[in-house]
Amino acid sequence: MNALGASHLVGTVDPSKSTCFCQYHQEAAKKRGINFERTKEGYHKLDAFAKAALADQRPSDGYYVEFQRIMLQYPEIVARDQLFDYGKHQIVDDVYKAIKALGKKQLVGLHIEHVNSFNPFFRATRDYADLATRVDFLKIVVYNNCGGERYQHFIKNIGLTMFKDIPHEELMRFNSRLLGYSENEASYNDLPIAGLSPDYVYRETQRALKGVKGKCLILPGIDIGIPTGKNSRKQSPDDVYKATLAAYKAGADGIILSRKYSEMKLNLIDAAGRAIREATKG
């Protein structure tokens, strides 16, 4: 993601700083049979590709074909990228065992990053069926209000490198199809001011529930006052109410008000509470 800017969090795409080749990561790669020299060579190729794309130096076969060619020639890139997930899952497993050793009542959960809502390549690394066997609940990020500007930022970033041949609006619609989103989401230009819809919350919640197959709880993280840019959508209580209700209508086992209390206005929390009471009454 860092090498290609394939995240909403990347401000400036700088592929030369995309990964670490310290001795510890070299040892971890070796244990999994990953060739260090081939991996490094592949990342140098990816670095050169991304820098050329940023400089508008179009490959003769186009940006995406050239990207795919590098990935086929250097499968070590993907193999090394997976080291992050192997390490993270090991920590999750260790934490789970430690907490359960103290008592069975404590619930252990895992936060599923927001880029999971935007990046199909990243989404492929988050297998809900597997993750459900490691924890008691998954907190899936469905921050729809700030999600608009974040989604636009993601599309803008990937439109600078491997998908540079595709206009942003077409790229966003194609990407949304891959992710299973409604065609009624706002246009690329309007995403920041419109945000993502409650339907996005509903669909992501349902997808997670189907993915875990009842093996763990799904607690969507609802956006409550997460800051947005000057010209981006500012949340209303009605926005929070509809997003919260959408999660419950999809079948959520509960919700997590996100991201932190210091960002939340009381009228927004009240709106979430109203939706919770309405969804759980009786």
Side-chain angles (χ1 to χ4, degrees):
M1 291 192 302
N2 292 337
L4 298 168
S7 169
H8 63 284
L9 295 172
V10 178
T12 302
V13 179
D14 187 356
S16 63
K17 298 178 180 179
S18 63
T19 191
C20 176
F21 290 102
C22 71
Q23 68 180 84
Y24 303 106
H25 290 145
Q26 290 184 45
E27 291 170 3
K30 186 177 181 180
K31 288 179 181 178
R32 293 190 172 272
I34 303 172
N35 186 304
F36 170 71
E37 292 302 327
R38 284 276 304 168
T39 303
K40 195 171 183 179
E41 184 179 330
Y43 268 99
H44 277 304
K45 294 281 187 180
L46 204 59
D47 178 29
F49 161 76
K51 286 179 176 175
L54 294 172
D56 295 327
Q57 297 171 9
R58 186 179 186 274
S60 59
D61 288 321
Y63 292 103
Y64 183 78
V65 171
E66 184 64 20
F67 160 74
Q68 190 62 59
R69 181 174 289 137
I70 294 171
M71 302 306 290
L72 290 172
Q73 291 175 344
Y74 295 94
E76 292 86 358
I77 293 174
V78 174
R80 187 175 181 85
D81 187 64
Q82 288 180 307
L83 287 177
F84 173 84
D85 290 327
Y86 292 139
K88 183 171 185 175
H89 292 169
Q90 181 181 351
I91 291 172
V92 170
D93 292 344
D94 289 344
V95 169
Y96 187 88
K97 291 176 183 176
I99 291 177
K100 291 302 181 180
L102 300 175
K104 298 293 185 181
K105 293 184 178 180
Q106 294 90 342
L107 298 182
V108 182
L110 179 63
H111 172 93
I112 304 296
E113 301 92 328
H114 207 182
V115 70
N116 189 57
S117 287
F118 312 136
N119 186 335
F121 294 98
F122 181 89
R123 178 175 285 192
T125 70
R126 296 298 181 267
D127 181 353
Y128 284 158
D130 173 66
L131 295 175
T133 65
R134 300 175 182 273
V135 293
D136 299 310
F137 70 88
L138 293 178
K139 179 218 168 178
I140 58 166
V141 171
V142 288
Y143 305 161
N144 66 311
N145 187 72
C146 68
E149 67 175 18
R150 290 184 176 189
Y151 194 16
Q152 186 193 64
H153 195 187
F154 169 77
I155 295 296
K156 178 183 177 181
N157 281 346
I158 61 173
L160 292 173
T161 54
M162 60 180 175
F163 292 120
K164 194 164 185 172
D165 284 321
I166 307 175
H168 287 159
E169 180 66 28
E170 290 181 34
L171 179 56
M172 189 207 78
R173 294 300 173 189
F174 170 70
N175 196 65
S176 293
R177 281 291 187 95
L178 295 180
L179 299 170
Y181 295 156
S182 168
E183 294 182 358
N184 295 325
E185 296 294 345
S187 67
Y188 170 80
N189 288 331
D190 292 339
L191 272 172
I193 195 63
L196 293 172
S197 70
D199 182 65
Y200 151 76
V201 177
Y202 181 90
R203 289 175 184 241
E204 280 297 271
T205 302
Q206 279 215 321
R207 183 176 71 84
L209 288 164
K210 291 178 181 177
V212 300
K213 299 179 174 65
K215 294 179 182 177
C216 80
L217 303 175
I218 293 298
L219 307 180
I222 303 297
D223 176 353
I224 309 285
I226 296 176
T228 56
K230 180 180 178 181
N231 297 318
S232 296
R233 187 179 185 86
K234 300 298 180 277
Q235 241 175 350
S236 71
D238 190 54
D239 291 333
V240 174
Y241 170 81
K242 289 178 179 177
T244 304
L245 203 59
Y248 277 101
K249 285 183 176 179
D253 297 295
I255 63 167
I256 297 178
L257 303 185
S258 305
R259 201 170 48 173
K260 51 188 178 181
Y261 184 70
S262 61
E263 293 175 336
M264 301 178 185
K265 295 181 179 179
L266 294 180
N267 63 336
L268 299 182
I269 299 175
D270 285 342
R274 180 161 54 91
I276 294 169
R277 289 190 293 271
E278 182 177 321
T280 60
K281 64 182 177 181

